[in-house]
Amino acid sequence: IKWNGWVIHGHKHNNEMKNYPFINGKNKTINVSAELVNYKPISMDYLLSLDLDSIERMDTINSIPKR
């Protein structure tokens, strides 16, 4: 079965932020690694408010999304 949806993942430490941004629209991944979300939990409501399908890349939670 091929998965077409978004994947939310994270690690305790993200040492490769260039390769694993907060949002990668091409790969449909959301990286909630502590370093990318200011060491604070984020809500599903916030993620859904971002219009994920329109984002190409967003490096951190404070970045302006590249659409």
Side-chain angles (χ1 to χ4, degrees):
I1 299 173
K2 185 176 177 180
W3 177 255
N4 255 350
W6 284 83
V7 174
I8 299 172
H9 67 92
H11 302 282
K12 206 159 126 180
H13 298 288
N14 181 13
N15 297 322
E16 296 183 56
M17 288 188 244
K18 177 182 167 196
N19 296 326
Y20 302 102
F22 174 50
I23 295 176
N24 181 331
K26 179 181 179 187
N27 294 336
K28 288 189 164 183
T29 58
I30 302 168
N31 181 357
V32 293
S33 178
E35 292 84 357
L36 302 180
V37 297
N38 290 334
Y39 297 89
K40 298 176 185 173
I42 57 173
S43 71
M44 285 298 296
D45 287 338
Y46 171 75
L47 290 175
L48 295 173
S49 76
L50 292 174
D51 189 18
L52 293 170
D53 289 325
S54 73
I55 297 176
E56 183 180 323
R57 181 184 179 93
M58 188 171 172
D59 290 327
T60 70
I61 197 167
N62 294 325
S63 300
I64 296 172
K66 181 179 178 188
R67 298 189 190 267

